[in-house]
Amino acid sequence: MTNVLRVAVVGATGYTGSELTAILARHPRTEIAALFSGPSGERVAFSALHPSLRGARGPEVVPFEADALREAGADLVLLATPNETSARLAPSILAFGAKVIDLSGAFRLRDASAYPSWYGFDHPAPELLAEAVYGLTEHCNGELAGARLVANPGCYPTATLLALLPIVDLVEPSQTIVCDVKSGVSGAGKKRDLDYSFAELSGNFKAYGIGRHRHEPEIRAGLGLAASAPLVFVPHLLPTTRGILATLYVSFAEPQSEASILARFEAAYADSALVQVHSAGTLPELRHVVGTPRAEIGFALLDGGRRAVVVSVIDNLLKGAASQAVQNLNRMHQFEEKEGLA
């Protein structure tokens, strides 16, 4: 087959990395050149990475080594690694000529000075922050074609921004946007922390990270809001494995009709293969999207059209991470957008 893209995944043993590997394995335009765990990670058989790969053949996952990655000859490297690891690895990968899609937060913010307070480290490659394309696929306008470095959005921001970007210009600037967003626990990654154990989370439901979650500045930046703009972001952990449901509360500068708001959403996603807009008053549910690369959006108007509740649902490991990365890969290389995802 011509035009086959050689890809490597670093961090293939995590939840996101294994989903990413499974998608790439069935993608007709990609060849997996190499798979890596962390530098002190374990060796894992390809077929053990994901249920869909049982019985399949592919490269063994090996502990990460820079020389081995370089020798793999990948055209594109996908980093499913911690933030600081991605920030450190991406410059050297770009230097040897491969492109990078980073699934961490290492390149999502433009301002290097924001990293110590929100991410806990000084950014080692601030010169790349301006170059990185923020890969919210449906709202990229040609920037992905030819991009060298793509910052895959966070899962909470993906659900939130898809729901708010078509209408944010209608919002009354003095009124608070409330982002009440709930995620399955796989969004926290594989942890041995007691707080993320089954016994602590089963039958439970809690808010966390209010005012200090690193996805807040990403949401503000995506909406074009200053740090002082009235926005409240409240993340929650659901007692489910996967999925995100975002409930967004907004007030409009002028009263809106159901038809006008629906028209905004339909125009924004008319050409989207993976975003479904519901009719006014019909709200999506997690079960509609879990296990799929799709997002679904619905809304209801209140107070004579002066306020709205918008609901957005995605699978946090797919549209919130792995499948969105493959959407971006497809656009970077002019493949059909649903290639490998349908």
Side-chain angles (χ1 to χ4, degrees), residues 243-258:
I244 283 181
L245 189 147
T247 308
L248 300 317
Y249 305 87
V250 298
S251 299
F252 298 122
E254 300 291 339
Q256 301 295 317
S257 68
E258 290 182 341

Side-chain angles (χ1 to χ4, degrees), residues 138 265-275 331 337:
E138 286 78 13
F265 283 116
E266 289 181 336
Y269 300 117
D271 298 323
S272 172
L274 294 170
V275 178
R331 282 210 187 179
E337 186 156 320

Side-chain angles (χ1 to χ4, degrees), residues 310-331:
V310 186
V311 175
S312 170
V313 292
I314 62 170
D315 185 311
N316 57 296
L317 296 179
L318 293 175
K319 182 58 175 167
S323 68
Q324 184 155 233
V326 175
Q327 271 188 274
N328 289 327
L329 176 155
N330 287 338
R331 282 210 187 179

Side-chain angles (χ1 to χ4, degrees), residues 6 19 40 61 65 72 74 86 113 119 151 208 215 234 243 247 284 320 329:
R6 287 177 58 81
E19 292 286 352
S40 58
V61 182
E65 292 182 357
S86 288
S113 68
Y119 283 89
Y208 72 104
H215 284 170
V234 184
T247 308
L329 176 155

Side-chain angles (χ1 to χ4, degrees), residues 86-212:
S86 288
R88 177 173 51 82
L89 291 180
S92 60
I93 295 169
L94 294 171
F96 68 68
K99 297 177 181 180
V100 172
I101 296 178
D102 177 39
L103 285 85
S104 83
F107 296 94
R108 292 174 186 158
L109 305 181
R110 297 283 187 182
D111 183 1
S113 68
Y115 279 85
S117 57
W118 288 103
Y119 283 89
F121 66 92
D122 292 318
H123 204 289
E127 70 282 358
L128 291 176
L129 296 177
E131 178 184 348
V133 174
Y134 186 69
L136 186 66
T137 317
E138 286 78 13
H139 291 274
C140 291
N141 298 309
E143 305 98 319
L144 288 165
R148 289 197 316 153
L149 173 60
V150 173
N152 217 58
C155 51
Y156 283 135
T158 294
T160 301
L161 295 174
L162 287 174
L164 291 182
L165 279 171
I167 59 171
V168 69
D169 63 312
L170 300 175
V171 172
E172 168 55 54
S174 65
Q175 297 297 306
T176 301
I177 298 173
V178 178
C179 306
D180 179 358
V181 194
K182 305 166 182 70
S183 174
V185 295
S186 60
K190 290 186 177 179
K191 296 180 183 293
R192 292 184 175 89
D193 225 329
L194 177 64
D195 286 347
Y196 298 94
S197 70
F198 177 79
E200 294 294 317
L201 292 168
S202 179
N204 194 15
F205 178 43
K206 63 182 180 180
Y208 72 104
I210 299 171
R212 54 186 174 82

